[in-house]
Amino acid sequence: MSQNAVRRGAAEAFRFSRIVNVRSFLSAVRPLLINERKFCDGLKDSGKSFDLSLLQFLVCPLSKNPLRYDETTNELINEELGIAYPIIDGIPNMIPQDARLIKKTEGTEEPSQP
């Protein structure tokens, strides 16, 4: 046999083994993909609650100040900047562009300068 024939045979065997491995992988993973989340699932309240122990680690990405959890709106609040970060499916969305501005309460207003 020539070297080219041996190389072609080895290449075809390698390709075949890769196809078999990929197929066995997909057959094992496919049942898991059936329950995959849809894009709009995050818009619904799935009943997952926010883990309050995360508050000791989470800080505002803009000011690096600690955040307060507001259970009524399901948001993380930065009192200093007046920003609320939404929590979707129990996961805080800490992207500043997705945060909403909130009104500061009367007691936290900054004094006016003369």
Side-chain angles (χ1 to χ4, degrees), residues 43-93:
L43 301 176
K44 300 175 186 173
D45 183 22
S46 65
K48 293 182 182 178
S49 61
F50 176 67
D51 186 10
L52 293 176
S53 65
L54 291 175
L55 283 176
Q56 62 184 336
F57 303 110
L58 293 176
V59 295
C60 177
L62 299 174
S63 68
K64 309 299 187 237
N65 289 332
L67 300 167
R68 175 183 60 85
Y69 176 62
D70 186 8
E71 191 173 350
T72 58
T73 60
N74 199 30
E75 294 174 324
L76 295 176
I77 310 292
N78 180 337
E79 304 264 343
E80 181 182 325
L81 297 179
I83 297 176
Y85 296 100
I87 298 174
I88 302 170
D89 282 342
I91 302 169
N93 181 353

Coordinates of all heavy atoms in Angstrom, one line a residue, residues 43-93:
L43 N -39.2 37.2 31.5 CA -40.2 38.2 31.7 C -41.2 37.8 32.7 O -41.9 38.6 33.3 CB -40.8 38.6 30.4 CG -39.9 39.2 29.3 CD1 -40.6 39.4 28.0 CD2 -39.1 40.4 29.8
K44 N -41.4 36.5 32.9 CA -42.4 36.0 33.8 C -41.8 35.8 35.2 O -40.6 35.6 35.3 CB -42.9 34.7 33.3 CG -43.6 34.8 31.9 CD -43.9 33.4 31.5 CE -44.4 33.4 30.0 NZ -44.6 32.1 29.5
D45 N -42.6 35.9 36.2 CA -42.2 35.6 37.6 C -42.2 34.1 37.8 O -43.3 33.5 37.8 CB -43.1 36.3 38.6 CG -42.6 36.1 40.0 OD1 -41.4 35.8 40.2 OD2 -43.4 36.3 40.9
S46 N -41.1 33.5 37.8 CA -41.0 32.1 37.9 C -41.0 31.6 39.4 O -41.0 30.4 39.6 CB -39.7 31.6 37.3 OG -38.6 32.0 38.0
G47 N -41.1 32.5 40.3 CA -41.2 32.1 41.7 C -39.8 31.9 42.4 O -39.7 31.6 43.5
K48 N -38.8 32.2 41.6 CA -37.4 32.1 42.2 C -37.2 33.4 43.0 O -37.4 34.4 42.5 CB -36.4 31.9 41.1 CG -36.5 30.6 40.4 CD -35.3 30.5 39.4 CE -35.5 29.2 38.6 NZ -34.4 29.0 37.6
S49 N -36.7 33.2 44.2 CA -36.5 34.4 45.0 C -35.0 34.7 45.1 O -34.2 33.9 44.8 CB -37.0 34.2 46.4 OG -36.4 33.1 47.0
F50 N -34.7 35.9 45.4 CA -33.3 36.4 45.5 C -32.7 35.9 46.8 O -33.3 35.9 47.8 CB -33.3 37.9 45.4 CG -32.0 38.5 45.6 CD1 -31.0 38.3 44.6 CD2 -31.7 39.3 46.7 CE1 -29.7 38.9 44.8 CE2 -30.4 39.8 46.9 CZ -29.5 39.6 45.9
D51 N -31.5 35.4 46.7 CA -30.8 34.9 47.9 C -30.1 36.1 48.6 O -29.2 36.8 48.1 CB -29.7 34.0 47.4 CG -29.0 33.3 48.6 OD1 -29.4 33.5 49.7 OD2 -28.0 32.6 48.3
L52 N -30.7 36.4 49.8 CA -30.2 37.6 50.5 C -28.7 37.5 51.0 O -28.1 38.5 51.3 CB -31.1 37.8 51.7 CG -32.6 38.2 51.4 CD1 -33.4 38.3 52.7 CD2 -32.6 39.5 50.7
S53 N -28.2 36.3 51.0 CA -26.8 36.2 51.4 C -25.8 36.8 50.4 O -24.7 37.1 50.7 CB -26.4 34.7 51.6 OG -26.5 34.0 50.4
L54 N -26.3 37.0 49.1 CA -25.5 37.7 48.1 C -25.3 39.2 48.4 O -24.3 39.7 47.8 CB -26.2 37.5 46.7 CG -26.2 36.1 46.2 CD1 -27.0 36.1 44.9 CD2 -24.8 35.6 45.9
L55 N -26.1 39.8 49.2 CA -26.0 41.2 49.5 C -24.6 41.5 50.1 O -24.1 42.7 50.0 CB -27.1 41.7 50.4 CG -28.4 41.9 49.7 CD1 -29.5 42.3 50.7 CD2 -28.3 42.9 48.6
Q56 N -24.0 40.6 50.8 CA -22.7 40.9 51.4 C -21.6 40.9 50.4 O -20.5 41.5 50.6 CB -22.4 39.9 52.5 CG -22.3 38.4 52.0 CD -22.0 37.5 53.1 OE1 -21.6 37.9 54.2 NE2 -22.4 36.2 52.9
F57 N -21.8 40.4 49.2 CA -20.8 40.4 48.1 C -21.1 41.4 47.0 O -20.2 41.9 46.4 CB -20.7 39.0 47.5 CG -20.4 38.0 48.5 CD1 -21.3 37.0 48.8 CD2 -19.1 37.9 49.1 CE1 -21.0 36.0 49.7 CE2 -18.8 36.9 50.0 CZ -19.8 36.0 50.3
L58 N -22.4 41.7 46.8 CA -22.7 42.6 45.6 C -22.6 44.0 46.0 O -23.0 44.5 47.1 CB -24.2 42.3 45.2 CG -24.5 40.9 44.6 CD1 -25.9 40.8 44.3 CD2 -23.7 40.7 43.3
V59 N -22.0 44.8 45.1 CA -21.9 46.2 45.2 C -22.3 46.9 43.9 O -22.4 46.2 42.8 CB -20.5 46.7 45.6 CG1 -20.1 46.2 46.9 CG2 -19.5 46.3 44.5
C60 N -22.7 48.1 43.9 CA -23.0 48.8 42.7 C -21.8 48.9 41.8 O -20.7 49.3 42.2 CB -23.5 50.3 43.1 SG -23.9 51.2 41.6
P61 N -22.0 48.6 40.5 CA -20.8 48.6 39.6 C -20.4 50.0 39.3 O -19.2 50.2 38.9 CB -21.3 47.9 38.3 CG -22.8 47.9 38.4 CD -23.2 48.0 39.9
L62 N -21.2 51.0 39.6 CA -20.8 52.4 39.3 C -20.1 53.1 40.5 O -19.1 53.7 40.3 CB -22.0 53.2 38.9 CG -22.8 52.8 37.6 CD1 -24.0 53.6 37.4 CD2 -21.8 52.9 36.4
S63 N -20.7 52.9 41.7 CA -20.2 53.6 42.8 C -19.4 52.7 43.8 O -18.8 53.2 44.7 CB -21.3 54.4 43.6 OG -22.2 53.4 44.2
K64 N -19.5 51.4 43.6 CA -18.9 50.4 44.5 C -19.5 50.5 45.9 O -18.9 50.0 46.8 CB -17.4 50.6 44.5 CG -16.7 50.6 43.2 CD -16.9 49.4 42.4 CE -16.1 49.4 41.1 NZ -16.8 49.3 39.9
N65 N -20.7 51.0 46.1 CA -21.3 51.1 47.4 C -22.2 49.9 47.6 O -22.7 49.3 46.6 CB -22.2 52.4 47.5 CG -21.3 53.6 47.6 OD1 -20.2 53.5 48.1 ND2 -21.8 54.7 47.2
P66 N -22.5 49.5 48.8 CA -23.4 48.4 49.0 C -24.8 48.7 48.5 O -25.2 49.8 48.4 CB -23.4 48.2 50.6 CG -22.6 49.2 51.1 CD -22.0 50.0 50.0
L67 N -25.6 47.6 48.3 CA -26.9 47.7 47.7 C -27.9 47.3 48.8 O -27.6 46.5 49.6 CB -27.1 46.9 46.5 CG -26.1 47.3 45.3 CD1 -26.2 46.3 44.2 CD2 -26.6 48.7 44.7
R68 N -29.2 47.7 48.6 CA -30.3 47.3 49.5 C -31.3 46.6 48.7 O -31.6 47.0 47.5 CB -30.9 48.6 50.1 CG -32.1 48.3 51.0 CD -32.7 49.6 51.5 NE -33.1 50.5 50.5 CZ -34.3 50.5 49.9 NH1 -35.2 49.6 50.2 NH2 -34.6 51.4 49.0
Y69 N -31.8 45.5 49.2 CA -32.8 44.7 48.5 C -34.2 45.2 48.8 O -34.6 45.4 50.0 CB -32.7 43.2 48.9 CG -33.8 42.4 48.2 CD1 -33.9 42.3 46.9 CD2 -34.7 41.7 49.0 CE1 -34.8 41.5 46.3 CE2 -35.7 40.9 48.5 CZ -35.7 40.8 47.1 OH -36.7 40.0 46.5
D70 N -35.0 45.6 47.8 CA -36.4 46.0 48.0 C -37.3 44.8 47.5 O -37.3 44.5 46.3 CB -36.6 47.2 47.2 CG -38.0 47.8 47.4 OD1 -38.7 47.3 48.3 OD2 -38.4 48.8 46.7
E71 N -37.9 44.2 48.5 CA -38.7 43.0 48.2 C -40.0 43.4 47.4 O -40.5 42.6 46.5 CB -39.1 42.3 49.5 CG -39.7 41.0 49.3 CD -39.9 40.2 50.6 OE1 -39.4 40.7 51.6 OE2 -40.6 39.2 50.5
T72 N -40.5 44.6 47.6 CA -41.8 44.9 46.9 C -41.6 45.1 45.4 O -42.4 44.7 44.6 CB -42.4 46.2 47.4 OG1 -41.4 47.3 47.3 CG2 -42.7 46.1 48.9
T73 N -40.4 45.6 44.9 CA -40.2 45.8 43.5 C -39.2 44.7 43.0 O -39.0 44.7 41.8 CB -39.5 47.2 43.3 OG1 -38.3 47.3 44.0 CG2 -40.5 48.3 43.6
N74 N -38.6 43.9 43.9 CA -37.7 42.9 43.5 C -36.5 43.5 42.8 O -36.1 43.1 41.7 CB -38.3 41.8 42.6 CG -37.5 40.5 42.6 OD1 -36.8 40.2 43.6 ND2 -37.6 39.8 41.5
E75 N -35.9 44.5 43.4 CA -34.8 45.2 42.8 C -33.7 45.4 43.9 O -34.0 45.4 45.1 CB -35.2 46.6 42.3 CG -36.1 46.5 41.1 CD -36.7 47.9 40.7 OE1 -36.9 48.7 41.6 OE2 -36.8 48.1 39.5
L76 N -32.5 45.7 43.4 CA -31.4 46.1 44.3 C -31.2 47.6 44.1 O -31.1 48.1 43.0 CB -30.1 45.4 43.9 CG -30.1 43.9 44.1 CD1 -28.8 43.3 43.6 CD2 -30.3 43.5 45.6
I77 N -31.2 48.3 45.2 CA -31.3 49.8 45.2 C -29.9 50.3 45.7 O -29.4 49.9 46.7 CB -32.4 50.3 46.2 CG1 -33.7 49.6 45.9 CG2 -32.5 51.8 46.1 CD1 -34.3 49.9 44.6
N78 N -29.5 51.3 44.9 CA -28.3 52.1 45.3 C -28.9 53.4 45.8 O -29.3 54.3 45.0 CB -27.3 52.3 44.2 CG -26.1 53.2 44.6 OD1 -26.2 53.9 45.5 ND2 -25.1 53.0 43.8
E79 N -28.9 53.6 47.1 CA -29.6 54.8 47.7 C -28.8 56.1 47.2 O -29.4 57.1 47.0 CB -29.6 54.7 49.2 CG -30.3 53.5 49.7 CD -31.7 53.7 50.1 OE1 -32.1 54.9 50.2 OE2 -32.4 52.7 50.2
E80 N -27.5 56.1 47.2 CA -26.7 57.3 46.9 C -26.9 57.8 45.5 O -27.1 59.0 45.3 CB -25.2 56.9 47.1 CG -24.3 58.1 46.8 CD -22.8 57.7 47.0 OE1 -22.5 56.9 47.8 OE2 -22.0 58.3 46.2
L81 N -27.0 56.9 44.5 CA -27.1 57.3 43.1 C -28.6 57.3 42.7 O -28.9 57.9 41.6 CB -26.3 56.4 42.2 CG -24.8 56.5 42.4 CD1 -24.2 55.5 41.4 CD2 -24.3 57.9 42.2
G82 N -29.5 56.7 43.4 CA -30.9 56.6 43.1 C -31.1 55.7 41.9 O -31.8 56.0 41.0
I83 N -30.5 54.5 41.9 CA -30.5 53.6 40.8 C -31.1 52.3 41.4 O -30.8 51.8 42.5 CB -29.1 53.3 40.2 CG1 -28.6 54.6 39.6 CG2 -29.2 52.2 39.2 CD1 -27.2 54.5 39.0
A84 N -32.0 51.6 40.6 CA -32.5 50.3 41.0 C -32.1 49.3 39.9 O -32.4 49.5 38.7 CB -34.0 50.4 41.1
Y85 N -31.5 48.2 40.3 CA -31.1 47.1 39.4 C -32.1 46.0 39.5 O -32.4 45.5 40.6 CB -29.7 46.6 39.8 CG -28.6 47.6 39.6 CD1 -28.1 48.2 40.7 CD2 -28.1 47.8 38.3 CE1 -27.1 49.2 40.5 CE2 -27.0 48.7 38.2 CZ -26.5 49.4 39.3 OH -25.5 50.3 39.1
P86 N -32.7 45.5 38.4 CA -33.8 44.5 38.4 C -33.2 43.1 38.8 O -32.0 42.9 38.5 CB -34.3 44.5 37.0 CG -33.2 45.0 36.2 CD -32.4 46.0 37.0
I87 N -34.0 42.3 39.3 CA -33.7 40.9 39.6 C -34.6 40.1 38.8 O -35.9 40.1 39.0 CB -33.8 40.6 41.1 CG1 -32.8 41.4 41.9 CG2 -33.5 39.1 41.4 CD1 -32.9 41.3 43.4
I88 N -34.1 39.2 37.9 CA -34.9 38.4 37.0 C -34.6 36.9 37.3 O -33.4 36.6 37.2 CB -34.6 38.8 35.5 CG1 -34.9 40.2 35.3 CG2 -35.4 37.9 34.6 CD1 -34.5 40.7 33.9
D89 N -35.6 36.2 37.6 CA -35.4 34.7 37.9 C -34.4 34.5 39.1 O -33.6 33.6 39.1 CB -34.9 33.9 36.7 CG -36.1 33.7 35.7 OD1 -37.2 33.8 36.2 OD2 -35.8 33.3 34.6
G90 N -34.4 35.5 40.0 CA -33.5 35.3 41.2 C -32.0 35.8 40.9 O -31.2 35.7 41.7
I91 N -31.8 36.3 39.7 CA -30.4 36.7 39.3 C -30.4 38.2 39.1 O -31.2 38.8 38.3 CB -30.0 36.0 37.9 CG1 -30.1 34.5 38.1 CG2 -28.6 36.5 37.5 CD1 -29.9 33.8 36.8
P92 N -29.6 38.9 39.9 CA -29.5 40.4 39.7 C -28.9 40.8 38.4 O -27.9 40.2 38.0 CB -28.7 40.8 40.9 CG -28.1 39.6 41.5 CD -28.7 38.4 40.9
N93 N -29.5 41.7 37.7 CA -29.0 42.3 36.5 C -28.3 43.5 36.8 O -28.9 44.6 37.0 CB -30.2 42.5 35.5 CG -29.7 43.1 34.2 OD1 -28.5 43.4 34.0 ND2 -30.6 43.2 33.2

